[in-house]
Amino acid sequence: MSRGAARKILVAACLAGLVAAYFLFDLGRFFSLDYLKQSREQFQNLYEAHTFLVLGAYFLIYVAVAALGLPAATVVTLAGGGLFGLWVGLAVVSVASTLGACLAFLLSRYVLRDSVRRRFGDKLARIDRGVEEEGPFYLFTLRLIPIFPFFVINALMGLTPMRLFTYAWVSQVGMLPGTAVYVNAGKELGRLDSLSGLLSPSLILSFAVLGLFPLAVKKALGWYRKRRNNG
């Protein structure tokens, strides 16, 4: 076994260990809506006494949750709105979620890409061409529609030839509307009874329509250019 392969196995084992520890020690109880509502006043007092320390700790926790794909991003986002308010919460969550997504993207590319391509290279070729041609628009659409799992998008995009810079800025912009919705909802933690109440059918439909917008613009521009060239 080569040294590079051994390092990849070690990184994969460490990631698997961290995710396993989250479930083994039931850390999810600290990322539940009930726990957040019960502890809100304590966290608020801590934030007022140690503002920058709390912001820094929250930022690192969010990055870790996003990078590892843990099922806690929604509650952590709500906590940002509940503790910091809309604008500070939006700024911190937006940057942390993008950084976490980029780390997950890089981890997927480093750990999984070579082995997946050896087994499914022919099937990925068509995806690669699509990403090269419409990657930013495609990713933008996925980011705007919150029905696609966050960690799945990160992992799959890491297998493609998309550049990290493109992935970062498209993710930053594409996730912003949904982030704003969740952070704003976090200001009303006392009124939330369940996470399912955040995504009403009308809200999901609105995100879906918004997600189709960049693809519609892409098609319209292609039609216009083709017509102009033929003319």
Side-chain angles (χ1 to χ4, degrees), residues 28-129:
R29 68 184 186 276
F30 299 115
F31 297 97
S32 67
L33 185 60
D34 289 338
Y35 178 82
L36 182 59
K37 292 169 65 174
Q38 294 171 6
S39 307
R40 183 181 182 184
E41 185 175 350
Q42 298 176 7
F43 285 132
Q44 193 68 54
N45 293 334
L46 186 63
Y47 174 60
E48 293 175 358
H50 307 282
T51 301
F52 294 104
L53 180 62
V54 173
L55 280 171
Y58 173 87
F59 182 87
L60 293 177
I61 290 173
Y62 201 114
V63 171
V65 167
L68 295 174
L70 300 177
T74 299
V75 172
V76 179
T77 303
L78 291 173
L83 290 176
F84 312 133
L86 176 59
W87 298 113
V88 175
L90 180 60
V92 176
V93 171
S94 182
V95 176
S97 61
T98 300
L99 180 57
C102 288
L103 289 176
F105 172 90
L106 291 174
L107 288 171
S108 174
R109 176 162 292 181
Y110 177 72
V111 175
L112 300 175
R113 187 177 181 182
D114 292 342
S115 60
V116 172
R117 285 196 169 279
R118 281 196 297 268
R119 297 181 181 182
F120 307 103
D122 54 336
K123 297 180 180 180
L124 290 175
R126 181 177 300 179
I127 298 177
D128 290 344
R129 288 194 298 270

Side-chain angles (χ1 to χ4, degrees), residues 193-208:
D193 295 322
S194 66
L195 296 179
S196 61
L198 292 171
L199 287 180
S200 63
S202 61
L203 182 59
I204 293 177
L205 179 61
S206 298
F207 275 122

Side-chain angles (χ1 to χ4, degrees), residues 165-180:
F165 176 76
T166 301
Y167 182 79
W169 76 259
V170 173
S171 295
Q172 179 78 60
V173 176
M175 291 188 295
L176 192 59
T179 299

